[in-house]
Amino acid sequence: MNITDAAIKPWDISYFYDGTNLPDGKGTVSAGEKIYQEQCAMCHGDFGEGAHGYPKMVGDPVDQFEASAKAGVDAVSNRGLNNTWGNAPTLMDMIHRHMPFYAPGTLTTDEAYSVTCYVMNLASIPGVGDDFVCDKTSLPKIKMPGEPLYVTNSGPDTANQRCMKDCYKGTPFVVEKAASIGNVSVGKVKAKDTQ
């Protein structure tokens, strides 16, 4: 059985960090609030605080988040869109492609724009006020507070040529020692002497 172009089309989306490939359509904060309450709040909380182990939308300010991470504090509990998301267009990509969790990819383009708009407003992203409209022109202009924490490399994955024969020069370095995990040796598996 071959997959059809029609079956691929809903999943064939990639919205890049700079807004490339964002679709036509638009969404508002108020429309997004209604969708969020109906389809998102059960996992992400009524106010973006996270629920039932799912991620929160609103975390600590970036400076507090960085300070806790540098201090070795578990920073997972204080992350949110306002500190660890690099670009608004990739947020739209995530929401449109993967949300809601129980029915990924079922939001229309306008619904995905609206939810994106609402959660950015909820997280107090600068420039996303109550009257903000998300579309392919406005979304790339939003500067996420966490953007400086990311490095974007648009270059190719690699410039190396693939070697197909006699590729390794020299003598391979091989470690011949049994590894152990807990009280079990890997290799000849036997209990280690615990005394």
Side-chain angles (χ1 to χ4, degrees):
M1 176 181 205
N2 292 327
I3 192 164
T4 65
D5 289 341
I8 293 171
K9 187 173 170 67
W11 298 98
D12 189 19
I13 56 173
S14 288
Y15 311 145
F16 298 101
Y17 72 96
D18 62 357
T20 301
N21 292 345
L22 281 171
D24 291 330
K26 66 181 179 180
T28 64
V29 172
S30 59
E33 181 177 15
K34 183 176 188 299
I35 299 162
Y36 180 90
Q37 292 304 324
E38 291 172 355
Q39 299 191 49
C40 312
M42 66 186 83
C43 294
H44 297 290
D46 290 335
F47 304 102
E49 72 278 11
H52 312 292
Y54 290 94
K56 56 168 97 176
M57 301 289 99
V58 184
D60 289 346
V62 173
D63 58 342
Q64 289 177 22
F65 176 77
E66 284 186 287
S68 62
K70 287 176 184 174
V73 175
D74 176 12
V76 172
S77 63
N78 62 3
R79 43 179 204 193
L81 299 179
N82 57 319
N83 59 29
T84 58
W85 205 279
N87 308 98
T90 61
L91 178 61
M92 166 64 177
D93 182 86
M94 173 67 172
I95 291 169
H96 198 193
R97 184 189 306 265
H98 298 291
M99 296 294 126
F101 179 72
Y102 57 86
T106 57
L107 295 176
T108 67
T109 299
D110 288 350
E111 288 172 333
Y113 270 127
S114 294
V115 172
T116 302
C117 225
Y118 177 70
V119 296
M120 288 194 307
N121 177 270
L122 194 62
S124 301
I125 303 301
V128 184
D130 293 343
D131 58 348
F132 188 75
V133 176
C134 284
D135 60 26
K136 68 181 182 181
T137 303
S138 65
L139 212 51
K141 294 176 184 174
I142 296 299
K143 297 297 177 202
M144 300 295 277
E147 184 178 6
L149 303 176
Y150 289 81
V151 175
T152 302
N153 180 351
S154 299
D157 290 338
T158 182
N160 296 335
Q161 294 294 319
R162 181 192 260 192
C163 180
M164 301 302 286
K165 181 178 171 191
D166 298 324
C167 303
Y168 188 80
K169 307 287 188 239
T171 305
F173 176 72
V174 178
V175 175
E176 294 185 15
K177 183 177 179 184
S180 64
I181 303 169
N183 71 343
V184 176
S185 294
V186 178
K188 289 185 178 179
V189 179
K190 63 179 184 175
K192 286 175 60 177
D193 186 1
T194 58
Q195 295 181 4

